[in-house]
Amino acid sequence: MTSPSQHLLVTGGAGFIGSNFIRFVMEQRPGLQITNLDALTYAGNPANLADIESDERYQFVHADVRDRDAVSDVLRNCDAVVHFAAESHVDRSIHDSGPFLSTNVIGTQVLLDACRDAGNINRFVQVGTDEVYGSLPLDCPDLAFTESTPVQPNSPYASSKAAADLLALSYHHTFDMPVMVTRCSNNFGPYQYPEKVIPLFVTNLLDGRKVPLYGDGLNVRDWLHVTDHCEAVLAVLESGRPGQVYNIGGNNEQSNRELTHMILELMGCGRDMIEQVADRPGHDRRYAIDARRIRDELGWSPSRSQWPDALEETIQWYRENEDWWRPLKANAFNATMLTSKSGGDS
Ligand SMILES: NC(=O)c1ccc[n+]([C@@H]2O[C@H](COP(=O)([O-])OP(=O)(O)OC[C@H]3O[C@@H](n4cnc5c(N)ncnc54)[C@H](O)[C@@H]3O)[C@@H](O)[C@H]2O)c1
């Protein structure tokens, strides 16, 4: 496949999905140069890409997407952008929404303006989330979000991501910029920061600690392996139609309770390791994705998200990579977040 890009800018490439995406694209598209622009917030970790940092096709720029000069400078050599950089944890957005509005909305605006003015960007993928659609009721299992479902975000995180999506689409409409928006369900896999539910629960259990389950545990999420997500984003980057939204899902709905039971079983732990905690304020009940558009238009469907195998493989990665997650959990601020009565979810 010929890529429309020779030199791709990835923002937020030191985070969970961005680092998996860079590794995946370097394997799949050996002719492509990649620049990773990342501010290295608490969630950004150079160790996520230690294995490729000396590859001559890869360059890291330590900068903030809100820094217009830095962004414009980097864009000079690039011809396409995949925008992952964001504050990404719902619980943190409930605690303090300021950084979410600033990075997710203003950061996207700065990046879009810089791309528009650079004039050499022929593809722009805004990486979004299914959380922008709000919540589905539990008693209508046939309902799923399509790309024409109205956005109705319920958390400060989801609101900031919805604003970013809409802004990106408005730049397509107003300035004819080649923008595509993706909206993905919950990702799992290696290098996920251990505040998100799967690595939080797995690393707690590896330490003999209980897992905090929010409320009644009946909230339903669709789970997608991060490599399936990377493949979908690459397909949208290369073949998506400008101005379109593409939903991305794993066909893998699980309640948080089912997820917890499966992790406990796969790790040989009993249900006594569950600690019920007060529900997250405004906790969305169910997300479900109708991903027919990306399947029909781009031929993409998930192939690595099947449970229990994909979950077991992920658990194994955290077992084998204690050196990666232990320093993150030991960090004082994270210790405060992670040992509080903050339950596990995306
Ligand atoms: N994790 C999921 O399940 C999921 C699902 C759907 C969509 N998404 C979206 O995918 C994207 C990546 O998610 P993730 O889970 O990898 O997040 P993450 O929190 O692991 O990584 C975010 C990265 O962005 C960087 N960053 C944050 N603020 C920045 C700024 N101002 N300037 C430059 N870099 C900055 C961080 O340093 C970090 O490397 C986000 O846009 C998120 O909304 C995530």
Side-chain angles (χ1 to χ4, degrees), residues 35-47:
T35 295
N36 171 15
L37 181 146
D38 198 298
L40 298 182
T41 67
Y42 79 95
N45 185 354

Side-chain angles (χ1 to χ4, degrees), residues 11-19 36-45 48 61 63-67 83-89 99 102-104 107 126-131 157 161 182-188 191-193 195-196 222-224 226 229 248 346:
T11 71
F16 164 47
I17 305 173
S19 61
N36 171 15
L37 181 146
D38 198 298
L40 298 182
T41 67
Y42 79 95
N45 185 354
N48 295 2
V61 176
D64 195 302
V65 278
R66 293 165 293 183
D67 179 342
H83 180 34
F84 290 102
E87 290 291 338
S88 69
H89 191 39
S102 179
T103 281
N104 300 3
Q126 163 68 18
V127 178
T129 166
D130 61 355
E131 301 193 27
Y157 162 68
K161 292 294 292 183
T182 59
R183 291 184 178 147
C184 185
S185 56
N186 282 21
N187 283 218
F188 66 99
Y191 299 104
Q192 187 165 30
Y193 195 81
E195 66 187 353
K196 305 284 170 66
D222 172 61
W223 287 98
L224 177 75
V226 65
H229 185 195
I248 303 169
S346 52

Side-chain angles (χ1 to χ4, degrees), residues 11-241:
T11 71
F16 164 47
I17 305 173
S19 61
N20 277 283
F21 180 75
I22 289 173
R23 189 175 292 100
F24 180 78
V25 172
M26 289 184 76
E27 281 163 16
Q28 301 290 317
R29 301 289 180 267
L32 199 61
Q33 289 285 325
I34 296 185
T35 295
N36 171 15
L37 181 146
D38 198 298
L40 298 182
T41 67
Y42 79 95
N45 185 354
N48 295 2
L49 287 168
D51 53 328
I52 61 146
E53 67 187 3
S54 56
D55 192 309
E56 58 188 20
R57 296 170 298 153
Y58 172 76
Q59 187 197 358
F60 177 68
V61 176
H62 186 190
D64 195 302
V65 278
R66 293 165 293 183
D67 179 342
R68 172 66 191 256
D69 290 342
V71 170
S72 295
D73 200 36
V74 163
L75 283 173
R76 255 193 277 281
N77 298 318
C78 298
D79 53 23
V81 176
V82 178
H83 180 34
F84 290 102
E87 290 291 338
S88 69
H89 191 39
V90 174
D91 287 336
R92 287 180 189 258
S93 81
I94 293 168
H95 180 69
D96 178 9
S97 61
F100 287 74
L101 272 291
S102 179
T103 281
N104 300 3
V105 184
I106 302 302
T108 303
Q109 175 243 321
V110 170
L111 183 62
L112 286 164
D113 279 348
C115 289
R116 178 198 58 200
D117 295 348
N120 55 342
I121 301 303
N122 59 47
R123 311 289 285 171
F124 184 107
V125 179
Q126 163 68 18
V127 178
T129 166
D130 61 355
E131 301 193 27
V132 299
Y133 293 121
S135 183
L136 294 166
L138 288 183
D139 57 1
C140 302
D142 294 337
L143 279 184
F145 302 130
T146 71
E147 289 83 355
S148 43
T149 301
V151 293
Q152 207 174 340
N154 289 322
S155 70
Y157 162 68
S159 303
S160 68
K161 292 294 292 183
D165 287 6
L166 297 178
L167 194 65
L169 291 169
S170 80
Y171 274 59
H172 169 71
H173 189 82
T174 308
F175 304 112
D176 202 24
M177 279 178 58
V179 169
M180 284 78 61
V181 171
T182 59
R183 291 184 178 147
C184 185
S185 56
N186 282 21
N187 283 218
F188 66 99
Y191 299 104
Q192 187 165 30
Y193 195 81
E195 66 187 353
K196 305 284 170 66
V197 61
I198 290 179
L200 173 66
F201 283 15
V202 171
T203 57
N204 272 14
L205 292 170
L206 288 173
D207 273 344
R209 287 165 51 196
K210 293 193 173 197
V211 297
L213 182 62
Y214 265 141
D216 60 13
L218 296 181
N219 308 63
V220 172
R221 301 293 182 259
D222 172 61
W223 287 98
L224 177 75
H225 192 274
V226 65
T227 310
D228 275 337
H229 185 195
C230 294
E231 186 181 62
V233 170
L234 182 60
V236 172
L237 172 71
E238 294 184 338
S239 310
R241 280 186 293 141

